[in-house]
Amino acid sequence: WYKQRSDNAESSLDSQCLLAEQLIRHCEPLLAYDLVKERLQAFPGHHRFRQLLGFALARGGATEAANFHLKQLYEEGDHSEETIGLLARTYKDLWQNAGQDAQKLNFQKKAFSFYYEGFKKNEDAYWTGINAATMAVLSGKSAEAEKIARQVVRMCHGEVMRLPPDDPALYWVFATLGEAELI
């Protein structure tokens, strides 16, 4: 009975994480934020809810708060592609909104660095790879951008061969492939 109840509780948390992720992806980051914040009161150390908090904040435009939460996860040792990619995204957003040249350059370097780290740590990390390539282009590092983009193209071709033709993930694979070919 205890194990079944524990499994049900874990399943419920998983479904709540999935719901929060769907809310974020369907342009409802405030609702996701409310859900995640409530769940974090009950489960303060829950890793996925902490990631989703950063994701909801980033999508909701609270870039500095998202950066703070994601940086905490990273500094605690979470170097997963998801956390690194989201953290990089906050630095890219900070870069786009920065006014001062030195600060802007610092955010740009951090965005590239984290995207590149996420790309190198994960064999199928085409989304962090294409963002690293794009940030390299924007930093004036054309040769490095082209090198990364070539790797991303190979990854995307592999994904096209691996995924069934009706898989919704193919949209992102083809979008990434197009961006990589441009670079």
Side-chain angles (χ1 to χ4, degrees), residues 93-148:
D93 291 347
L94 289 168
W95 164 71
Q96 289 176 318
N97 296 321
Q100 300 171 354
D101 289 339
Q103 188 179 39
K104 194 169 188 80
L105 183 60
N106 181 45
F107 290 145
Q108 185 181 37
K109 286 179 180 178
K110 285 185 176 186
F112 169 77
S113 176
F114 280 109
Y115 276 131
Y116 191 71
E117 180 182 340
F119 174 60
K120 293 314 275 178
K121 284 189 174 199
N122 299 284
E123 293 178 16
D124 60 347
Y126 62 86
W127 77 276
T128 51
I130 195 58
N131 280 290
T134 299
M135 291 307 297
V137 165
L138 295 170
S139 301
K141 301 175 184 175
S142 299
E144 190 166 7
E146 288 176 23
K147 179 181 173 188
I148 296 168

Side-chain angles (χ1 to χ4, degrees), residues 17-178:
C17 287
L18 184 60
L19 174 60
E21 187 175 337
Q22 293 300 319
L23 286 169
I24 295 166
R25 294 193 189 284
H26 290 97
C27 301
E28 294 292 348
L30 186 56
L31 289 174
Y33 174 83
D34 289 343
L35 171 65
V36 169
K37 222 27 194 166
E38 178 187 316
R39 295 291 71 211
L40 279 171
Q41 288 176 356
F43 304 96
H46 193 278
H47 178 264
R48 183 63 180 143
F49 283 132
R50 291 178 66 204
Q51 274 183 329
L52 289 166
L53 177 66
F55 192 17
L57 287 166
R59 281 283 175 95
T63 308
E64 290 178 9
N67 180 270
F68 174 81
H69 288 288
L70 293 163
K71 199 170 10 174
Q72 270 187 327
L73 277 173
Y74 182 83
E75 289 169 355
E76 291 169 10
D78 177 1
H79 296 183
S80 66
E81 180 186 9
E82 179 86 8
T83 296
I84 292 172
L86 288 170
L87 180 57
R89 181 250 166 101
T90 64
Y91 279 115
K92 183 169 69 172
D93 291 347
L94 289 168
W95 164 71
Q96 289 176 318
N97 296 321
Q100 300 171 354
D101 289 339
Q103 188 179 39
K104 194 169 188 80
L105 183 60
N106 181 45
F107 290 145
Q108 185 181 37
K109 286 179 180 178
K110 285 185 176 186
F112 169 77
S113 176
F114 280 109
Y115 276 131
Y116 191 71
E117 180 182 340
F119 174 60
K120 293 314 275 178
K121 284 189 174 199
N122 299 284
E123 293 178 16
D124 60 347
Y126 62 86
W127 77 276
T128 51
I130 195 58
N131 280 290
T134 299
M135 291 307 297
V137 165
L138 295 170
S139 301
K141 301 175 184 175
S142 299
E144 190 166 7
E146 288 176 23
K147 179 181 173 188
I148 296 168
R150 277 192 289 279
Q151 291 174 284
V152 169
V153 166
R154 283 193 297 276
M155 287 178 177
C156 288
H157 284 294
E159 285 293 290
V160 168
M161 299 304 292
R162 186 183 70 76
L163 294 171
D166 59 345
D167 192 316
L170 280 173
Y171 169 83
W172 292 108
V173 174
F174 285 124
T176 303
L177 186 56

